Amino acid sequence: MLAFVALAVFVQPGRVGAAERAVSPVDATVLVRLVGSVHAEITELGQKRTLDLDRVEIGTGSGFVISPDGHVLTNDHVVSNSQITMDDGLRKVAISLKVSKIEVCIPPESSAARNAGPACVEASIAATSPDLDLAVLFVTGTNQPYLPLGDSDVLAPGQPVRALGFPFGRTLNIGRDSLSSVVPEITTTSGTVSSLRANDSGTRRFVQIDGNVNPGNSGGPLIDKDGFAVGVIQSRLKDATGIAFAIPINQVKDFLESRGLDQLMPTRRLRLGGMQRSDAKAVAMRLPDALADVSPDRLRFETDHAASEIALRIDRVSSPWTLDRLEQELLQTRTFERLSVAGKESRVTRAGSATMLSGHAAAGANGETGVAYAILDLGREKLVARFVGPRDQLAFNEGVLRESLASLEAQPLIREPEPPARMEWSQTPAGDAQPSLPVPVGWLVEAGSPTACARLSRPEAAGSAVSVRDFTVALRVAIWPAAIVPDEVSAACWPSRGSLGSASYVSRSERLGTAYSAEGVFLRSGPRVLQFEVIAPTPQSAYARALLAQWVKQATN
């Protein structure tokens, strides 16, 4: 039968404001010191004697601050009363340790992280669970920075981790009359996740690590490479080298929620809802609860910023680029987001029959912004999906966000366009500043305007209509005052003439590796000048030219 050693240090005979986020995990790691009484019964050669001591230091363990208000997480066995029995055949010793005071002590290397104060502060127990071996302490007045929590559901074997704490505490004498104020320095032990141990129901119960942790490490944080707490050090395998166990941090989250303490945390937990589908956008995805699409744009999916600190945005684009190239565009330019990426991790997976590249990155000058993303390959079309928000929020919910992105499904929206000669047309409603204009039946009318020209100010009105069969093809219109001279404006803005005379033009552009041609014309219409323009990928420029001619014909009849 395997034996385990709890990693708190207990004495044995012969041995003794709202804070900010921690810059380093060391700044949030604390020593937990227990003061109490000792009752020992010693039986030797048939004779029994007792020993009682009071107000002595009876043990130490580790912990870490998890909230701006001073809540400290540790193990239940670190702060609870305990019994120790030893029997070598000649002498039997039974020791009862009763805790009367719990103190949280700040090590000297993190003193700069707090505004001077006592090294040790008395703590109260806010919540405890012997079954989970977790306890939350509460202290005031330390101004100790807190350690952000990560997500243990995304841990994988081989992943590097660090264990922080105070192995072996201090060498203490059981009979010490006064308590030393010296706090030991923190020990950092590097290791890797060697296994993820589940209980009978399949829930992750322990994170097995191959680090050298010892009694006194109990309650200390297990840290991932990004500095987030992903576990609570709990025990090691007795008489084995380098096999230790930590409680997954997501069990801590469950524990905090069950005690109503989650509301005191600086981060909020997201839970994944059911599949949400948009037939118009040909997209389906499981979204975290309270998130929903609010974008009217057919090619864009965007959640309400007021619903969550984390925003989801999905752009459907036409691009021949590889997923790696689009990833660079997302993380290194401002095409999709205003990000300044500090580092990334990504991998290629399958999403049904399509290929998906997914990953996460830190952004901002100090890595304070996070992005979790997935790019779905539909051939000519790509979907660029990303959750963007405070990095601590993303790390806290990384498993949910990964699962949400992995659920992304989409169908292509680009099909063979309808020939212009066979199109049916309808008229848009006339307004005070805008005449009634023809639009192909079934096309989507949305915001937009023709290609910009530096020689022109803003038009009086503008609009766009996009083909439902091919979103790369669009009609654009602008309305200008009568002072505009069509031939002069066209020649001044664009050097290339189009197929509809001297007032027409051709311009070219490129987006995400796709070359586009726009052909337009300025036409005088009563007291205004109308600018008609059709844009399409360059290989479809003949189609765009025919569509422009048909549109102008409908508008001038």
Side-chain angles (χ1 to χ4, degrees), residues 390-407:
R391 191 182 180 199
D392 288 1
Q393 295 281 358
L394 267 73
F396 191 84
N397 294 286
E398 186 177 348
V400 168
L401 302 182
R402 280 192 188 184
E403 190 173 352
S404 176
L405 290 169
S407 72

Side-chain angles (χ1 to χ4, degrees), residues 50 76 138 171 244 249:
T50 62
D76 174 74
F138 178 67
T171 303
I249 208 66

Side-chain angles (χ1 to χ4, degrees), residues 76-317:
D76 174 74
H77 78 256
V78 169
V79 297
S80 60
N81 299 328
S82 60
Q83 306 286 330
I84 301 173
T85 301
M86 292 174 288
D87 189 348
D88 61 5
L90 298 176
R91 181 175 59 177
K92 181 178 180 180
V93 181
I95 301 175
S96 297
L97 304 176
K98 185 175 182 180
V99 179
S100 60
K101 183 169 69 171
I102 303 171
E103 292 185 330
V104 168
C105 302
I106 300 167
E109 60 262 48
S110 64
S111 60
R114 62 184 175 93
N115 296 331
C120 297
V121 179
E122 188 168 352
S124 59
I125 296 178
T128 185
S129 171
D131 291 339
L132 294 175
D133 196 13
L134 292 171
V136 175
L137 310 179
F138 178 67
V139 295
T140 59
T142 65
N143 198 34
Q144 191 72 3
Y146 66 87
L147 179 60
L149 307 186
D151 190 335
S152 54
D153 282 350
V154 300
L155 289 176
Q159 185 170 331
V161 288
R162 291 179 293 144
L164 274 59
F166 303 89
F168 299 112
R170 295 180 293 185
T171 303
L172 303 173
N173 293 322
I174 192 170
R176 178 176 293 178
D177 293 327
S178 62
L179 300 179
S180 171
S181 62
V182 176
V183 181
E185 294 184 356
I186 293 173
T187 297
T188 300
T189 302
S190 298
T192 58
V193 175
S194 53
S195 183
L196 299 161
R197 302 297 181 183
N199 59 18
D200 292 339
S201 65
T203 301
R204 287 186 176 180
R205 185 63 182 88
F206 290 104
V207 179
Q208 181 181 326
I209 56 176
D210 62 353
N212 185 27
V213 298
N214 292 288
N217 275 116
S218 272
L222 184 69
I223 306 297
D224 67 11
K225 66 177 183 59
D226 295 318
F228 294 96
V230 292
V232 182
I233 302 299
Q234 195 254 6
S235 61
R236 67 176 172 84
L237 195 60
K238 186 178 181 181
D239 300 327
T241 301
I243 300 179
F245 299 89
I247 301 167
I249 208 66
N250 283 11
Q251 284 205 1
V252 173
K253 297 174 188 177
D254 293 338
F255 167 61
L256 295 174
E257 288 180 0
S258 70
R259 301 301 193 272
L261 296 176
D262 58 306
Q263 298 302 313
L264 302 175
M265 298 295 291
T267 45
R268 292 290 174 265
R269 198 173 188 181
L270 300 177
R271 285 192 162 76
L272 206 56
M275 203 75 164
Q276 295 192 29
R277 298 184 180 276
S278 172
D279 293 337
K281 300 183 180 184
V283 170
M285 188 176 184
R286 291 187 67 190
L287 298 182
D289 289 339
L291 295 187
D293 179 31
V294 296
S295 173
D297 191 334
R298 185 180 182 225
L299 304 181
R300 187 170 176 85
F301 192 104
E302 184 168 14
T303 59
D304 188 353
H305 293 280
S308 173
E309 289 188 78
I310 299 175
L312 169 65
R313 290 185 277 273
I314 306 174
D315 286 302
R316 184 187 291 263
V317 298

Side-chain angles (χ1 to χ4, degrees), residues 16 212 420 533:
V16 233
N212 185 27
E533 182 181 279

Side-chain angles (χ1 to χ4, degrees), residues 47-66:
Q47 300 295 317
K48 179 182 290 187
R49 56 191 175 91
T50 62
L51 174 67
D52 288 287
L53 298 170
D54 195 19
R55 297 182 63 193
V56 294
E57 187 170 280
I58 61 174
T60 63
S62 304
F64 55 103
V65 184
I66 60 172

